[in-house]
Amino acid sequence: MKAKAIKINPSDNVYVALTDLKKGEVLEGIELKTDVPVKHKFAEFDFATGDLLKMYGLTIGKAAQPIQQGEHITTFNVKHVAESYGERVPNLEWHKPDTSKFEGRTFNGFHRADGRVGSANYWLVVPMVFCENQNVEVIKNALLNELGYAKASQFQGYTQSLINAYKNGVDVSALVYKETEQTEEGRGKLFQQVDGIKFLTHTGGCGGTREDAQVLCQLLAGYITHPNVAGATILSLGCQNAQVKLLQDAIAKVDPQFSKPLYIFDQQAIGNEEQMLRQAIKQTFIGLTIANQAKREPAPLSHLTLGVECGGSDGFSGISANPSVGYCADLLSALGGKVMLAEFPELCGVEQELINRCVNDDLADKFTTIQAAYARSAEAVGSGFDMNPSPGNIKDGLITDAMKSAGAAKKGGNSPIFDVLDYTEQATKSGLNLLCTPGNDAECTTGLAGSGANVIMFTTGLGNPMGNPICPVLKISSNSALAERMSDIIDINAGTVITGEKTIAEMGEELLEYCIKTASGEYTPKAVALGHDDFIPWKRGVSL
């Protein structure tokens, strides 16, 4: 008989409901005092006010009032509290997973002059400042359809049908929407080796702090030098804080031998807007002919850089999808690849474990310094990491940030930590890296790609359509109900771990196979197919 509830770690004192439970049911010798919804938790013992609750072997909250054995754990009877952290106590013992299935495997990627290998081949059009967003849109409208990159919408013709019905006197409010079948690209691609042209419009570049401008330039440099990018067209107004020289310096810092095509247009220097746009479109076309010369060639799996993230998490995320991604991360780390674990607000309460896994004191100190400063900045404006869980998280069982974080950290696996990166710093060391980003989904994926991820795995329990312009994003569902309900955005169902159909190790190996196929261009993630190109730079303010 399938278990109805589990305790994740032997030292835990709460159980997780694997199905809806009713008051009066007896599980593990505990009579339930209340109904307990699926994914939520109930108390193993009686708790007095102030007693600590444990999950994953970590503190995830404290009793705000007396809680009876078998009672539902809620935001009313439990408040956030997390494990404290301090000096590094080295814990580098790591039982590497069996990598025999993947030894000698390769993926087919785009080899770049700097030695990195891309999983895709894109051209970028980038504004240095929001003032140029409209001109970027003009270039977008001029190029996408004519070059075969525009995707016909499934809503194409829908408005016309409404117009016709209205003209014919039909009650428009009573119309039933019917999808059309036309979802393919409008015409064949002219440049077969170029996966697309991506337009990174944003709201930055001027008007904020000088630090905002510097960080934006560093982020854009990460995208332009990215192994998934063949070249870029840059539009500058001329007078903005984010000066072209800042971008050029940032590019040189990432890649001193940078040799990709890079075309820069300064509107105030050129003068006439139409003239600038004609030049930019013509030069971009020439750049695309160069980008089209690239071809996929085999590369060892050590050239994969995997970014891991969660969004719209639920009470199953830390049991199924996240540890499965963590096992995949461990496999890739053991094979010499790079892994980036981000979302620092969602590492609250697991800091000491991560500190102990850092390979030296300097990395541990860097992590604690960044994490503590981030926490202080949130508290300074009356917020805090404890406010990270969203209403959706709470509704589906993640009622404190420490509880959410303990499960979120599972995406990083169990390997030692070989580097700690601040926002926009590049991943250069094999193995697990910690990357400072917000928990905000779009800001996180934007940061992961900017630091060099050439594939991103994104776990979700509630459903999230997030993607990235240049880095393929694989969506992994924590539960089978979501995978069925939102099959249009979910790539892989890790809910089979909950049902017992697959082990975490089996799912982790399956995820690595998807990663290889995606990096080789053999599998197109749903976010890519749907054109989810989310790009939101972080302004280093308070974002959880």
Side-chain angles (χ1 to χ4, degrees):
M1 179 180 176
K2 178 187 168 186
K4 289 187 173 183
I6 61 168
K7 187 162 64 168
I8 299 170
N9 186 288
S11 66
D12 293 351
N13 53 22
V14 299
Y15 279 85
V16 183
L18 299 181
T19 187
D20 288 326
L21 303 175
K22 295 297 182 182
K23 178 182 178 180
E25 286 192 67
V26 178
L27 299 171
E28 304 294 332
I30 301 169
E31 181 179 348
L32 298 184
K33 302 299 189 297
T34 59
D35 291 347
V36 181
V38 63
K39 307 178 188 178
H40 284 247
K41 290 79 188 171
F42 62 88
E44 181 180 19
F45 309 111
D46 289 339
F47 292 103
T49 302
D51 284 351
L52 299 179
L53 280 70
K54 298 272 188 178
M55 273 185 68
Y56 305 97
L58 298 168
T59 299
I60 52 87
K62 67 178 179 180
Q65 62 189 44
I67 303 172
Q68 290 182 290
Q69 181 188 52
E71 186 177 348
H72 181 201
I73 302 300
T74 70
T75 54
F76 297 102
N77 57 28
V78 171
K79 297 302 179 186
H80 168 85
V81 67
E83 300 268 0
S84 60
Y85 58 94
E87 296 293 323
R88 172 174 172 258
V89 181
N91 180 18
L92 302 178
E93 183 180 355
W94 177 40
H95 299 289
K96 292 184 179 182
D98 180 5
T99 59
S100 58
K101 292 182 182 179
F102 299 96
E103 296 290 347
R105 293 279 299 276
T106 60
F107 72 97
N108 289 320
F110 294 94
H111 293 245
R112 304 302 183 188
D114 64 359
R116 293 191 290 173
V117 182
S119 63
N121 192 37
Y122 289 110
W123 188 273
L124 294 183
V125 179
V126 182
M128 293 300 301
V129 62
F130 56 82
C131 308
E132 291 296 325
N133 282 348
Q134 176 58 32
N135 285 332
V136 169
E137 288 296 322
V138 171
I139 296 174
K140 180 178 181 179
N141 292 333
L143 293 177
L144 286 192
N145 189 63
E146 295 302 317
L147 297 180
Y149 292 110
K151 294 182 181 298
S153 168
Q154 71 264 39
F155 300 105
Q156 205 163 30
Y158 179 43
T159 301
Q160 188 59 52
S161 70
L162 294 175
I163 293 171
N164 293 338
Y166 176 73
K167 287 182 175 179
N168 292 329
V170 176
D171 181 3
V172 177
S173 64
L175 289 176
V176 177
Y177 166 60
K178 295 181 180 180
E179 290 189 8
T180 65
E181 296 297 322
Q182 187 177 1
T183 57
E184 299 299 317
E185 295 177 352
R187 62 179 72 189
K189 290 194 301 183
L190 177 63
F191 301 115
Q192 290 297 312
Q193 297 302 318
V194 180
D195 292 301
I197 310 169
K198 299 298 181 177
F199 303 83
L200 306 186
T201 54
H202 55 82
T203 61
C206 205
T209 67
R210 290 297 192 270
E211 182 192 23
D212 288 340
Q214 180 66 57
V215 171
L216 175 64
C217 289
Q218 291 168 188
L219 179 69
L220 295 178
Y223 273 70
I224 293 166
T225 60
H226 196 284
N228 290 3
V229 171
T233 301
I234 309 296
L235 297 189
S236 168
L237 178 59
C239 59
Q240 70 275 350
N241 289 343
Q243 286 288 292
V244 169
K245 180 63 164 57
L246 291 177
L247 175 64
Q248 292 170 326
D249 290 345
I251 290 172
K253 185 175 180 180
V254 176
D255 182 5
Q257 305 301 319
F258 181 77
S259 60
K260 293 178 183 178
L262 182 66
Y263 309 127
I264 300 171
F265 300 90
D266 185 307
Q267 185 170 4
Q268 290 173 347
I270 294 171
N272 183 277
E273 184 170 277
E274 181 180 347
Q275 181 184 352
M276 180 191 73
L277 288 170
R278 287 182 180 277
Q279 291 177 12
I281 292 169
K282 181 188 299 183
Q283 198 65 62
T284 300
F285 186 88
I286 294 170
L288 289 166
T289 67
I290 298 171
N292 196 51
Q293 296 170 19
K295 296 186 184 303
R296 290 185 181 272
E297 296 178 351
L301 300 187
S302 57
H303 281 282
L304 287 174
T305 301
L306 175 65
V308 298
E309 180 188 0
C310 53
S313 298
D314 71 346
F316 283 168
S317 292
I319 306 173
S320 59
N322 290 348
S324 296
V325 168
Y327 192 89
C328 175
D330 280 348
L331 285 170
L332 189 57
S333 292
L335 291 163
K338 303 181 188 73
V339 177
M340 286 187 283
L341 173 65
E343 301 177 291
F344 273 27
E346 296 178 15
L347 300 179
C348 176
V350 297
E351 290 98 340
Q352 190 63 53
E353 176 193 336
L354 298 174
I355 289 166
N356 295 345
R357 286 165 56 189
C358 289
V359 296
N360 58 53
D361 289 340
D362 288 343
L363 290 180
D365 291 344
K366 183 175 181 180
F367 172 59
T368 56
T369 298
I370 294 173
Q371 184 75 331
Y374 200 157
R376 287 194 302 270
S377 68
E379 292 162 3
V381 294
S383 185
F385 286 171
D386 60 302
M387 298 185 183
N388 174 268
S390 70
N393 295 149
I394 294 168
K395 179 176 178 291
D396 264 42
L398 298 178
I399 63 169
T400 71
D401 187 51
M403 180 188 292
K404 181 179 180 181
S405 295
K410 297 295 182 184
K411 301 189 302 294
N414 300 297
S415 73
I417 294 165
F418 291 91
D419 209 353
V420 174
L421 309 171
D422 204 351
Y423 185 66
T424 75
E425 288 186 322
Q426 298 295 301
T428 60
K429 295 181 181 178
S430 298
L432 180 60
N433 296 247
L434 302 181
L435 172 65
C436 181
T437 73
N440 176 286
D441 301 333
E443 289 173 335
C444 182
T445 50
T446 298
L448 284 167
S451 288
N454 55 13
V455 177
I456 292 174
M457 286 188 178
F458 188 122
T459 65
T460 183
L462 304 175
N464 188 311
M466 194 64 58
N468 182 264
I470 65 169
C471 184
V473 178
L474 286 162
K475 292 289 172 45
I476 300 107
S477 169
S478 72
N479 62 88
S480 299
L482 170 64
E484 182 177 350
R485 186 175 70 255
M486 301 184 76
S487 60
D488 58 329
I489 67 168
I490 299 296
D491 296 286
I492 307 139
N493 176 26
T496 51
V497 172
I498 298 294
T499 59
E501 298 166 67
K502 290 182 182 176
T503 65
I504 286 172
E506 289 170 338
M507 180 55 63
E509 290 179 349
E510 183 178 330
L511 290 174
L512 185 51
E513 291 287 1
Y514 266 96
C515 186
I516 295 168
K517 290 179 182 177
T518 298
S520 299
E522 297 170 8
Y523 177 78
T524 302
K526 304 288 181 67
V528 175
L530 292 169
H532 292 157
D533 291 343
D534 303 283
F535 178 78
I536 302 182
W538 181 27
K539 289 187 176 182
R540 294 312 295 257
V542 177
S543 179
L544 299 176

